[in-house]
Amino acid sequence: AAAVQRLFSSPASESELAAGVVDAEGPSALPGFLFLLHHLDAAGVLGRLVMDGARPLASLVPLVEGYRFAPSPAADDRTYRLSRFALLRRQGDDLVLESPLAPALIVIHDPEVASLVHALARPRSLEDLAREVAGVPPDGLCQVLQLLGGAGLAEHGGEEDPATALGQWEFHDLLFHSRSRLGRRRDPYGGTFRFQGVADPLPAVKAPMTTEVTMLSERDPGSPPSSPLGDVLERRRSVRGHALAPLTRAQLGEFLHRAARTRGTIATSHGELASRPYPGGGALYELEIYAAVDRCEGLGRGLYQYLPAEHGLARISDATPAVERLIEDAYLTIDRVSRPQVLLVLAARFQRVSWKYSSMTYALVLKDVGVMMQTMYLVATDMGLAPCALGGGNADLFAAATGLDYLEEGSVGEFALGTPAGEPPG
Ligand SMILES: Cc1cc2nc3c(=O)[nH]c(=O)nc-3n(C[C@H](O)[C@H](O)[C@H](O)COP(=O)(O)O)c2cc1C
């Protein structure tokens, strides 16, 4: 018991601990102690520290229960290289190296180990490393390489096979996937109300950005009667070709009212929640809509903020060069079929979500974007309009066009809307 207790306060080697057990309780206590140590290790609660005498070099911290440290031994004929998924960052006062490939991270205690990491940007043999990182003795070098291997940070130096599953992952995608899903981490996850008592949650309804506000109608008298849901689902297509006769302001009004208005808000002890026609994570409704209007009868060209509670538009600007580029980029994204009559940019007020949720804010926002897009598709189809979701957009350009802070409210989705060229689908 004393030996295990010692591990709570300071690191110790297995032989030091075993010697302590033999001294205190006699050799017969040793098998039981080693059995216990094995189980603690299997439970993923034992870190590993590599020392050079009294000098700590690097340590491995398991991040989940059940993590098994099982590195392959260092070998002279092996070539080492840092994984392209490795990530070096500051955590508190520590320099940590981690990767989405393993549920463990490495704390770099010694600058010479940072040099080792630098050397591993290129394939290196043990001999190369011993020569280039002279500040770490060969024994320590092997042990640190084992730590890196155990945390998924070192790989064989050969070229990665692009036909494998791993070969097709990009660094940022795998990091995002691993950090926004459970597993591989012990980080807080889900609705933890991270900033309760620290900062106020953002209000459910964003204020108009300008005073130039025009109200929209809820229904366009010229719209066809609504069809049964099953028919709308079957008719739904992405329609990229827009007609010469543009969307009307009444059509845009009906579309936004049916797809995206705020039906109401409610004050709770965790801040204001809202209701809209589409479901939204936590009823937070962080998504805002901006309309970059190229051609819409009854609305001047330019950029507008949709006001979902009042059901109006606040005019932000004329068709500035940044607004023109937003529309032009959308035209390129739908394969230059048509310049969208109206480009709807979906932006997220990130702090609505990050105030409440841990580990999943951005993932949740993107899910909400998908839900809103499908709702837009269905409403547009029902109205006989031409809808098309876009797979990407430029968040810096959006910030330039709107003057919004990139970190506070950023564009996260784009949707082209217009009247369909030729016969309406269906
Ligand atoms: C999230 C998402 C992103 C999309 N991105 C694009 C895009 O960038 N350009 C484009 O022309 N179509 C885009 N589309 C439309 C798809 O190409 C289309 O939905 C798919 O080909 C199926 O065809 P359908 O919608 O007509 O049934 C996107 C659709 C979704 C849902």
Short mmCIF file of all heavy atoms in Angstrom, two decimals, residues 236-238 240 333-335 373 377 388-392, ligand 1:
data_model
loop_
_atom_site.label_atom_id
_atom_site.label_comp_id
_atom_site.label_asym_id
_atom_site.label_seq_id
_atom_site.Cartn_x
_atom_site.Cartn_y
_atom_site.Cartn_z
N ARG A 236 -37.77 16.91 -54.44
CA ARG A 236 -36.61 17.74 -54.09
C ARG A 236 -35.38 17.38 -54.92
O ARG A 236 -35.02 16.23 -55.06
CB ARG A 236 -36.27 17.58 -52.60
CG ARG A 236 -35.17 18.55 -52.15
CD ARG A 236 -34.29 17.95 -51.07
NE ARG A 236 -33.68 16.71 -51.50
CZ ARG A 236 -32.63 16.60 -52.32
NH1 ARG A 236 -32.06 17.70 -52.80
NH2 ARG A 236 -32.16 15.42 -52.67
N ARG A 237 -34.79 18.38 -55.53
CA ARG A 237 -33.53 18.25 -56.27
C ARG A 237 -32.71 19.50 -56.01
O ARG A 237 -33.26 20.54 -55.68
CB ARG A 237 -33.77 18.18 -57.79
CG ARG A 237 -34.53 16.97 -58.28
CD ARG A 237 -33.65 15.74 -58.36
NE ARG A 237 -34.39 14.60 -58.90
CZ ARG A 237 -35.27 13.88 -58.21
NH1 ARG A 237 -35.53 14.20 -56.96
NH2 ARG A 237 -35.89 12.87 -58.76
N SER A 238 -31.41 19.40 -56.24
CA SER A 238 -30.59 20.62 -56.26
C SER A 238 -30.73 21.23 -57.64
O SER A 238 -30.47 20.56 -58.64
CB SER A 238 -29.12 20.27 -56.00
OG SER A 238 -28.99 19.73 -54.71
N ARG A 240 -29.44 24.21 -59.98
CA ARG A 240 -28.37 25.21 -60.04
C ARG A 240 -28.63 26.29 -61.08
O ARG A 240 -28.02 27.35 -61.05
CB ARG A 240 -27.04 24.52 -60.32
CG ARG A 240 -26.67 23.53 -59.23
CD ARG A 240 -25.46 22.68 -59.59
NE ARG A 240 -25.19 21.70 -58.54
CZ ARG A 240 -25.82 20.54 -58.40
NH1 ARG A 240 -26.77 20.19 -59.25
NH2 ARG A 240 -25.54 19.72 -57.41
N THR A 333 -18.72 27.66 -57.20
CA THR A 333 -18.95 26.44 -56.41
C THR A 333 -20.07 25.60 -57.00
O THR A 333 -20.10 24.38 -56.82
CB THR A 333 -19.26 26.82 -54.94
OG1 THR A 333 -18.25 27.72 -54.50
CG2 THR A 333 -19.26 25.62 -54.03
N ILE A 334 -21.03 26.24 -57.68
CA ILE A 334 -22.07 25.43 -58.33
C ILE A 334 -21.73 25.26 -59.82
O ILE A 334 -22.59 25.29 -60.70
CB ILE A 334 -23.51 25.96 -58.12
CG1 ILE A 334 -23.62 27.45 -58.49
CG2 ILE A 334 -23.97 25.74 -56.70
CD1 ILE A 334 -25.05 27.96 -58.48
N ASP A 335 -20.43 25.08 -60.05
CA ASP A 335 -19.93 24.73 -61.39
C ASP A 335 -20.33 25.73 -62.46
O ASP A 335 -20.59 25.34 -63.61
CB ASP A 335 -20.39 23.32 -61.78
CG ASP A 335 -19.76 22.27 -60.88
OD1 ASP A 335 -18.69 22.56 -60.30
OD2 ASP A 335 -20.34 21.18 -60.74
N MET A 373 -30.21 23.49 -43.80
CA MET A 373 -30.14 23.34 -45.26
C MET A 373 -31.27 22.45 -45.77
O MET A 373 -31.90 22.75 -46.78
CB MET A 373 -28.79 22.75 -45.66
CG MET A 373 -27.67 23.77 -45.68
SD MET A 373 -26.14 22.97 -46.20
CE MET A 373 -25.10 24.42 -46.45
N TYR A 377 -34.16 23.36 -48.37
CA TYR A 377 -34.42 22.58 -49.58
C TYR A 377 -35.92 22.28 -49.70
O TYR A 377 -36.53 22.42 -50.76
CB TYR A 377 -33.67 21.24 -49.52
CG TYR A 377 -32.36 21.20 -50.30
CD1 TYR A 377 -31.15 21.10 -49.64
CD2 TYR A 377 -32.36 21.20 -51.70
CE1 TYR A 377 -29.95 21.02 -50.34
CE2 TYR A 377 -31.17 21.12 -52.41
CZ TYR A 377 -29.96 21.03 -51.72
OH TYR A 377 -28.80 20.96 -52.43
N CYS A 388 -30.01 25.15 -53.87
CA CYS A 388 -28.79 24.33 -53.93
C CYS A 388 -27.88 24.68 -52.76
O CYS A 388 -27.49 25.84 -52.58
CB CYS A 388 -28.04 24.53 -55.24
SG CYS A 388 -26.68 23.34 -55.43
N ALA A 389 -27.56 23.65 -51.95
CA ALA A 389 -26.59 23.85 -50.87
C ALA A 389 -25.20 23.94 -51.48
O ALA A 389 -24.93 23.35 -52.53
CB ALA A 389 -26.65 22.67 -49.90
N LEU A 390 -24.33 24.68 -50.83
CA LEU A 390 -22.93 24.78 -51.27
C LEU A 390 -22.05 24.09 -50.24
O LEU A 390 -22.32 24.16 -49.03
CB LEU A 390 -22.52 26.25 -51.41
CG LEU A 390 -22.80 26.92 -52.76
CD1 LEU A 390 -24.26 26.88 -53.12
CD2 LEU A 390 -22.32 28.36 -52.72
N GLY A 391 -21.00 23.46 -50.72
CA GLY A 391 -20.15 22.68 -49.82
C GLY A 391 -19.09 23.49 -49.10
O GLY A 391 -18.45 22.98 -48.18
N GLY A 392 -18.88 24.73 -49.48
CA GLY A 392 -17.83 25.50 -48.81
C GLY A 392 -17.97 26.97 -49.09
O GLY A 392 -18.73 27.39 -49.97
C1 LIG B 1 -23.83 19.84 -47.60
C2 LIG B 1 -24.02 19.90 -49.08
C3 LIG B 1 -23.07 20.52 -49.86
C4 LIG B 1 -23.23 20.64 -51.23
N1 LIG B 1 -22.30 21.33 -51.95
C5 LIG B 1 -22.52 21.55 -53.26
C6 LIG B 1 -21.63 22.38 -54.01
O1 LIG B 1 -20.68 22.92 -53.47
N2 LIG B 1 -21.88 22.57 -55.32
C7 LIG B 1 -22.93 22.00 -55.93
O2 LIG B 1 -23.10 22.22 -57.12
N3 LIG B 1 -23.80 21.20 -55.25
C8 LIG B 1 -23.63 20.98 -53.93
N4 LIG B 1 -24.51 20.21 -53.21
C9 LIG B 1 -25.62 19.56 -53.87
C10 LIG B 1 -25.31 18.09 -54.10
O3 LIG B 1 -24.41 17.98 -55.15
C11 LIG B 1 -26.60 17.34 -54.36
O4 LIG B 1 -27.42 17.38 -53.22
C12 LIG B 1 -26.35 15.89 -54.75
O5 LIG B 1 -25.66 15.82 -55.97
C13 LIG B 1 -27.64 15.10 -54.86
O6 LIG B 1 -28.46 15.69 -55.84
P1 LIG B 1 -29.90 16.27 -55.51
O7 LIG B 1 -29.77 17.28 -54.41
O8 LIG B 1 -30.36 16.92 -56.78
O9 LIG B 1 -30.76 15.14 -55.10
C14 LIG B 1 -24.37 20.08 -51.84
C15 LIG B 1 -25.32 19.44 -51.06
C16 LIG B 1 -25.17 19.37 -49.70
C17 LIG B 1 -26.23 18.73 -48.86
#
